Amino acid sequence: MNEILFAIDGTPIRLGAVLLTLAALTVVLLAAIAVVIARSSGRNQTATLAQAMRADELEERVADLLKAQTEAHGRIDAMGQALANRQAEMARAVSERLDAVGHRVGQSMEQTTRHTAESLRALHERLGIIDNAHKNLTELTTQVTTLRDVLANKQARGAFGQARMEAIVQDGLPKGSFEFQFTLSNGKRPDCVVFLPDQRPLCIDAKFPLESVTALREAKSDEERKGAAQRLRQDVTRHIGDIAEKYLVAGETQDTALMFVPSESVYAEIHEGFDDVVQKAYRARVVLVSPSLLMLAIQVMQQILKDARMRDAADQIRTEVINMMADVERLRDRVSKLGSHFDQVGEDVRQVLISVTKIGKRAARIEELDFSPSEDTAAPAPELFVAPTRKIQAGE
């Protein structure tokens, strides 16, 4: 009865209110009819009949109205029931839709959370890699700065070249075949000398005029480059002359000296753009070597020293080989004797196996109480008496 049928200007119209309104109208109509009948009682009969007819019509109309009201009430109930069913279906559909949407939103949020966690983990890993790279760059920057400071200082740069040269020499030659800061008879002290088989030292100088190369590389105009090239040519030529004058002593040192260039790129640039300087060095019996060429030269010297030591020890090696051949001959004799012993042991083992077989046969006959003469007792094997001195044959 409290179901809302419709609304007028926002005011809900309920089923109970409609029924009450229709009942009130019916009562009012009946009251009006009674009043009309009471007032017309004094009129003539014709009027009374007319009124009676009108009353009958009114009763019929009231009956029709009540019938219509009943039908309307049934229709309103059916509409209310249909509306209630539709409302329940709509609520159920909305609930199902909300559940589906909530499930999808939950899955989406879970996937988003998982992807976010993976992205954050990958980001942390990359940040760690970037942090390590930053530390490496910081260390590399420090090392480069230190190297630049070393190369900027002439004495430190000389110590750097000396250290590289010493590392190459120490790695390639045995102790005693080289010496650093060796003093020559003229009082000069080369950075390193290598004692070759004739005991004349080969001098190596590790100093190099790097300022000229730096100026040549930093030159921006053609004039600056030409001036830097001329300066480099003069500095290298002067240094070659100093090496030839200080470290090439007739009868004491080798006829050639080495000038160590501590950079492969500088060495390549000199050979590519200053061929005249290289030729002057060859004529002055000074050979420019880079770290790789110095390593190769050290390996050649090592092989030369090894060959010299082998030539010096050739007689001793020959004596040792003769003694070794005598030892091999004695070893051959002893192996032959050992082989004969093995043959004798094999024969003894064979005879022992024959005896074991005969003992097994005799034990079988004793077990069977068979004491008839056997082939073994009638005709003993002649090979058992080949060596009568052996105790095992006497037992048989």
Side-chain angles (χ1 to χ4, degrees):
M1 298 297 290
N2 291 326
E3 296 179 357
I4 298 174
L5 299 178
F6 54 88
I8 299 175
D9 294 335
T11 302
I13 304 300
R14 303 182 182 275
L15 178 60
V18 173
L19 295 176
L20 289 175
T21 303
L22 291 176
L25 288 175
T26 303
V27 172
V28 171
L29 183 59
L30 292 174
I33 292 172
V35 172
V36 172
I37 293 173
R39 288 182 179 180
S40 62
S41 61
R43 295 181 180 179
N44 53 21
Q45 189 177 0
T46 304
T48 302
L49 294 173
Q51 289 176 357
M53 293 176 64
R54 290 178 181 175
D56 293 337
E57 292 178 356
L58 287 174
E59 288 179 359
E60 291 178 358
R61 291 182 179 180
V62 168
D64 294 339
L65 183 60
L66 291 173
K67 184 179 180 181
Q69 181 181 359
T70 304
E71 292 178 354
H73 180 69
R75 291 179 181 178
I76 289 172
D77 289 339
M79 291 177 61
Q81 188 65 29
L83 288 174
N85 294 333
R86 293 292 300 276
Q87 184 177 5
E89 291 178 359
M90 185 177 295
R92 185 171 61 255
V94 169
S95 178
E96 292 176 356
R97 295 285 181 87
L98 287 176
D99 291 340
V101 170
H103 182 66
R104 291 180 182 177
V105 170
Q107 288 182 346
S108 177
M109 291 182 65
E110 183 179 357
Q111 293 178 358
T112 303
T113 303
R114 185 170 62 254
H115 293 164
T116 303
E118 292 177 356
S119 300
L120 289 175
R121 184 171 61 254
L123 180 61
H124 284 307
E125 292 177 357
R126 293 186 179 181
L127 287 176
I129 294 173
I130 292 174
D131 191 15
N132 293 331
H134 179 68
K135 292 181 180 178
N136 294 333
L137 286 175
T138 303
E139 294 177 358
L140 181 61
T141 303
T142 305
Q143 294 175 2
V144 170
T145 304
T146 304
L147 180 61
R148 183 182 62 188
D149 296 338
V150 168
L151 296 178
N153 188 353
K154 187 173 182 179
Q155 293 180 352
R157 186 174 65 248
F160 174 72
Q162 176 78 16
R164 292 199 66 183
M165 183 268 297
E166 290 181 359
I168 294 173
V169 173
Q170 289 175 348
D171 291 340
L173 293 176
K175 292 183 179 180
S177 61
F178 63 89
E179 184 176 344
F180 299 116
Q181 303 298 326
F182 178 76
T183 303
L184 300 176
S185 60
N186 57 4
K188 304 300 181 182
R189 301 178 63 187
D191 296 325
C192 177
V193 294
V194 179
F195 300 105
L196 295 179
D198 58 358
Q199 295 303 316
R200 290 193 302 165
L202 175 66
C203 300
I204 303 175
D205 185 82
K207 296 179 289 294
F208 185 80
L210 192 60
E211 295 87 350
S212 311
V213 179
T214 304
L216 180 63
R217 290 180 175 178
E218 294 178 353
K220 298 180 180 179
S221 61
D222 293 339
E223 284 188 19
E224 292 180 358
R225 185 170 182 81
K226 186 182 295 185
Q230 184 63 28
R231 177 186 173 188
L232 176 61
R233 184 176 286 105
Q234 293 176 356
D235 291 344
V236 175
T237 302
R238 186 183 308 110
H239 192 57
I240 290 172
D242 293 339
I243 293 175
E245 181 181 354
K246 296 177 181 179
Y247 305 146
L248 294 180
V249 181
E252 180 181 355
T253 63
Q254 296 291 331
D255 297 335
T256 304
L258 301 181
M259 184 174 74
F260 178 65
V261 181
S263 173
E264 298 285 350
S265 60
V266 174
Y267 176 82
E269 189 168 357
I270 291 174
H271 270 264
E272 182 179 356
F274 300 91
D275 186 66
D276 55 336
V277 176
V278 177
Q279 296 299 327
K280 289 181 180 178
Y282 286 159
R283 287 193 295 270
R285 293 177 298 175
V286 176
V287 180
L288 279 69
V289 292
S290 63
S292 59
L293 288 179
L294 179 60
M295 190 178 301
L296 179 61
I298 292 299
Q299 291 178 357
V300 173
M301 294 179 198
Q302 182 183 11
Q303 190 62 38
I304 292 173
L305 293 173
K306 184 177 180 181
D307 293 341
R309 287 196 301 271
M310 289 185 66
R311 285 195 302 270
D312 294 339
D315 295 336
Q316 185 178 357
I317 292 173
R318 183 172 177 275
T319 303
E320 291 296 330
V321 169
I322 293 173
N323 295 332
M324 186 174 63
M325 291 300 296
D327 293 336
V328 170
E329 186 66 23
R330 284 192 295 271
L331 179 62
R332 187 179 65 81
D333 296 338
R334 291 171 182 175
V335 169
S336 298
K337 293 179 181 179
L338 182 61
S340 62
H341 289 312
F342 273 120
D343 294 338
Q344 185 176 358
V345 170
E347 180 64 22
D348 293 340
V349 171
R350 189 177 68 83
Q351 297 296 334
V352 169
L353 291 176
I354 293 173
S355 299
V356 171
T357 303
K358 290 182 179 181
I359 292 171
K361 290 179 180 179
R362 289 195 178 101
R365 287 199 305 272
I366 292 171
E367 184 178 1
E368 296 175 359
L369 299 177
D370 182 9
F371 300 102
S372 62
S374 62
E375 296 178 356
D376 296 336
T377 56
E383 64 269 10
L384 297 178
F385 300 96
V386 172
T389 58
R390 288 169 40 194
K391 293 181 181 180
I392 189 170
Q393 292 173 349
E396 292 177 354

